[in-house]
Amino acid sequence: MKPSSTTRILGAATVAALLAIASAPSFAGNYAEGDPRPVPFASATTRAAVTADAQQWRKDAPTQGYTDGISQHATVVSANTRAAVAADTRLWIQSGLAAQQGGEAGADTTRPAYRQAVAEYQKLRASPAYGALVEQLATRQATAQPQTNLR
């Protein structure tokens, strides 16, 4: 017995409705939160407060299974400023190390091009231009006004 056209239409409509119901969550979104792109975050916490917090956590932190009375090492916190890190990153890119480490071969220290980029990076880092760049970036960061979140 051949199904009637009405049965076929009802069957197709039922399948379409089930597919629509199944795909509805993929179209849902939480648009009440606004723009999903990340907003720059300016922290009000000082470096000293973060260092003290890290050292306190380290004292109370679990030993990850080493419970034989093994003491933990002292917490080492970097003394680099944001300007120093930004300047170092610029020199790393300018020297060609970024391209060497991000290429297909990766950080292959045996390649002459990688060694040349390391030498250039070390030369730039030891130059007075590095200190000037740090000062320039520190001045720029000090004069920059934090942006307010306008939601």
Side-chain angles (χ1 to χ4, degrees):
M1 174 174 179
K2 187 174 179 182
S4 69
S5 62
T6 306
T7 306
R8 286 188 300 188
I9 291 174
L10 285 176
T14 303
V15 169
L18 289 174
L19 288 174
I21 290 170
S23 65
S26 66
F27 294 116
N30 188 359
Y31 297 107
E33 293 183 9
D35 192 358
R37 291 177 288 183
V39 177
F41 177 70
S43 176
T45 308
T46 64
R47 178 180 294 274
V50 171
T51 302
D53 188 40
Q55 289 171 343
Q56 181 60 40
W57 176 86
R58 183 74 175 194
K59 288 178 188 174
D60 301 333
T63 57
Q64 300 293 326
Y66 298 104
T67 58
D68 300 355
I70 300 172
S71 63
Q72 294 183 351
H73 300 289
T75 302
V76 178
V77 179
S78 174
N80 286 339
T81 62
R82 288 181 186 214
V85 172
D88 186 59
T89 303
R90 284 190 184 182
L91 295 183
W92 181 68
I93 293 169
Q94 184 180 346
S95 68
L97 266 177
Q100 290 297 319
Q101 291 182 345
E104 289 183 24
D108 184 2
T109 58
T110 61
R111 294 179 49 229
Y114 182 83
R115 290 183 181 169
Q116 182 180 1
V118 168
E120 179 67 17
Y121 170 74
Q122 290 172 341
K123 183 180 89 175
L124 288 170
R125 184 70 194 266
S127 73
Y130 171 69
L133 183 58
V134 170
E135 289 297 321
Q136 175 190 2
L137 292 172
T139 303
R140 186 180 300 163
Q141 288 174 356
T143 59
Q145 296 295 325
Q147 296 179 352
T148 58
N149 191 0
L150 303 175
R151 282 195 185 214

